[in-house]
Amino acid sequence: MTLEWTPLSEFRKFLKNTLRLNHVNQVFSSIKNPVLQLFTTFPAPDNWLAVPPEERPTFRHRDSRDLWYVIFWAWHTGFCKGNDVVAQYRRNDLVCYLSTRGRVNLSDFPVKMGLLKNSEAEHIRKKDSNRIGLFNKLSIHLLGVMKPLGDFTEEDIALADVMRPNDKRYNAKCLKDILFELGYSDEPGRRRQRILFDDCCEHPKWGDIAREFREHLKRSNSLDYYIRKAGSALHKFFKWLDQHGESDASSLEYEDFLDLFDYISKNNDGEEFSAKYTGNNLLHIKLFFDWGKGSHTFFPTYVDWPSDLYSGIHREAQEETYSGDGLAFDDPNFPMLMKEAIENYHPEDDVEVLCRAFWLIIASSPVRKTYLLNLQAEECMLPLPNAPSAVGYTAHIQVLRKLNIVTANFL
């Protein structure tokens, strides 16, 4: 798609025929000046898109700004149309842009643009009786994705957490509840924290390969904890590829991997990470290459992995483990800090009350954190055997076998 700014004459028709404004000439005249500033500063949309969404300037003239035109331009050009990684990247970009424009009221747009049915709007307005701005936030989300609610994918839903980070009033769970109530989903929302793997899957060049790898891990019944760690390592690898201007990993040679090892082993200040931390990240990157080599053009046919150096890091990591305190918390003050953070948390429902109580117990005992982080909520949050109407944390024998643990009781 060749992107160009849409002529102002078409924008005027949008104000009249789509938004059906009463004073079209007056509104158009007030917005025209900011739009001309936009054209002058960024002669082509590609120039504008090269600036990070949150850093793009807002052009104003008195009380008017260029925002309405940008929404019209994205809608008119089909900027977000498609199901490929580029289209998803553009939706992410537009959501980030709209959500960083300050306090704006765009609630009238989705219905008039055909993105929201009147019946859907009425349902959401009823939910917004406490005037928390739910309808307007959803409207911004709809305009960012540029598709009807019933067509939202999981990736589109997840953008709620990009748009409103840590917002308890509007998030992916809240949106899933709305979709469930409107009959677009078979189950209500569950709270899910965004992880680095999500960023990898939305990468404009390598999002497809990241999604394929994530699906592979899920099909392999990998634990959530393992997938999070793999996503973190992959995120570092993609960042390294970006910094080196690589189009993919197909041309990487021995010296490149040595540079990657050095990059993974240090923080931004040049300080060395522990061998255990470095080894874990390199392990996930190596497994990523083992999975894809020979079957995907992203990877080299032969991976010239520095095995000797990698083995040395692995040995050093084992020595760190043997000389340390096992899998207990590294910092003796951490349990108390954790306990204080949990006590200050205010649960929103019964499940969160249960989770809060469970983690308070964990924070007050010398637990082994790897075991706890590997527990799967869907396998351990179950009706209690002696009181099926109540939900509690327990552990299947299947889970215990997975983790090589004979007994465990958490109530």
Side-chain angles (χ1 to χ4, degrees), residues 4-21 24 28 31-32 35 39 68-77 113:
E4 296 179 355
W5 293 124
T6 307
L8 277 168
S9 58
E10 293 297 323
F11 175 56
R12 190 182 185 285
K13 292 177 185 177
F14 170 77
L15 296 176
K16 179 181 179 181
N17 301 329
T18 302
L19 296 187
R20 298 187 294 278
L21 300 180
V24 173
F28 177 75
I31 298 177
K32 181 179 178 180
V35 176
F39 292 171
W68 284 21
Y69 175 81
V70 171
I71 294 170
F72 154 74
W73 168 79
W75 177 73
H76 187 267
T77 59
M113 292 171 64

Side-chain angles (χ1 to χ4, degrees), residues 205-219:
K205 289 192 287 187
W206 309 312
D208 287 338
I209 191 70
R211 284 198 295 274
E212 287 181 35
F213 184 52
R214 190 178 199 171
E215 287 304 312
H216 161 73
L217 294 177
K218 290 179 179 178
R219 288 194 302 270

Side-chain angles (χ1 to χ4, degrees), residues 167-310:
D167 191 327
K168 293 183 179 180
R169 296 170 298 178
Y170 184 74
N171 49 51
K173 177 187 179 301
C174 169
L175 179 54
K176 278 199 167 187
D177 285 338
I178 292 172
L179 293 173
F180 174 71
E181 292 160 6
L182 292 172
Y184 296 131
S185 174
D186 295 331
E187 59 180 26
R190 292 184 179 181
R191 190 175 295 281
R192 176 186 176 275
Q193 294 296 325
R194 185 175 175 83
I195 62 176
L196 290 174
F197 223 138
D198 297 321
D199 291 340
C200 294
C201 292
E202 292 169 7
H203 194 282
K205 289 192 287 187
W206 309 312
D208 287 338
I209 191 70
R211 284 198 295 274
E212 287 181 35
F213 184 52
R214 190 178 199 171
E215 287 304 312
H216 161 73
L217 294 177
K218 290 179 179 178
R219 288 194 302 270
S220 303
N221 294 320
S222 299
L223 297 171
D224 289 344
Y225 175 69
Y226 181 90
I227 292 176
R228 287 198 301 272
K229 290 294 184 183
S232 177
L234 194 61
H235 189 267
K236 289 181 174 65
F237 177 56
F238 281 5
K239 201 170 181 180
W240 179 83
L241 284 176
D242 272 327
Q243 290 180 7
H244 284 70
E246 300 286 350
S247 58
D248 54 34
S250 61
S251 60
L252 297 186
E253 299 177 346
Y254 184 84
E255 290 76 13
D256 298 310
F257 284 114
L258 290 179
D259 187 81
L260 173 64
F261 276 39
D262 186 60
Y263 175 81
I264 294 293
S265 67
K266 297 176 182 177
N267 64 17
N268 293 333
D269 296 325
E271 298 172 349
E272 294 276 348
F273 288 119
S274 68
K276 185 176 177 181
Y277 176 87
T278 301
N280 282 338
N281 279 295
L282 290 175
L283 171 63
H284 288 296
I285 294 172
K286 184 177 185 298
L287 292 174
F288 176 59
F289 274 85
D290 290 342
W291 163 75
K293 66 181 180 183
S295 62
H296 200 289
T297 56
F298 174 87
F299 300 94
T301 305
Y302 171 72
V303 181
D304 199 0
W305 188 259
S307 299
D308 290 346
L309 178 59
Y310 178 71

Side-chain angles (χ1 to χ4, degrees), residues 45-212:
D46 285 337
N47 307 134
W48 182 75
L49 291 166
V51 179
E54 65 278 5
E55 296 178 16
R56 287 173 199 153
T58 295
F59 297 99
R60 302 174 183 271
H61 179 67
R62 296 177 182 170
D63 294 332
S64 300
R65 57 171 102 180
D66 59 337
L67 182 64
W68 284 21
Y69 175 81
V70 171
I71 294 170
F72 154 74
W73 168 79
W75 177 73
H76 187 267
T77 59
F79 177 70
C80 299
K81 282 188 177 178
N83 298 315
D84 58 2
V85 67
V86 174
Q88 190 59 37
Y89 178 76
R90 288 178 171 180
R91 285 190 280 271
N92 183 83
D93 181 282
L94 192 56
V95 164
C96 290
Y97 170 77
L98 294 177
S99 61
T100 54
R101 298 303 100 181
R103 298 173 67 90
V104 294
N105 187 348
L106 299 172
S107 57
D108 289 339
F109 278 61
V111 172
K112 292 182 177 180
M113 292 171 64
L115 300 173
L116 195 66
K117 299 175 184 175
N118 283 312
S119 58
E120 295 168 339
E122 184 62 27
H123 175 82
I124 298 160
R125 280 198 172 96
K126 286 179 180 176
K127 289 177 66 71
D128 204 12
S129 57
N130 293 327
R131 296 184 180 179
I132 59 175
L134 173 65
F135 188 77
N136 190 50
K137 291 166 188 171
L138 177 64
S139 296
I140 293 172
H141 194 167
L142 280 162
L143 294 170
V145 174
M146 282 291 171
K147 61 169 73 169
L149 262 184
D151 294 343
F152 269 41
T153 63
E154 286 296 323
E155 290 81 6
D156 298 329
I157 293 169
L159 289 177
D161 293 330
V162 175
M163 177 184 137
R164 308 287 302 181
N166 304 314
D167 191 327
K168 293 183 179 180
R169 296 170 298 178
Y170 184 74
N171 49 51
K173 177 187 179 301
C174 169
L175 179 54
K176 278 199 167 187
D177 285 338
I178 292 172
L179 293 173
F180 174 71
E181 292 160 6
L182 292 172
Y184 296 131
S185 174
D186 295 331
E187 59 180 26
R190 292 184 179 181
R191 190 175 295 281
R192 176 186 176 275
Q193 294 296 325
R194 185 175 175 83
I195 62 176
L196 290 174
F197 223 138
D198 297 321
D199 291 340
C200 294
C201 292
E202 292 169 7
H203 194 282
K205 289 192 287 187
W206 309 312
D208 287 338
I209 191 70
R211 284 198 295 274
E212 287 181 35

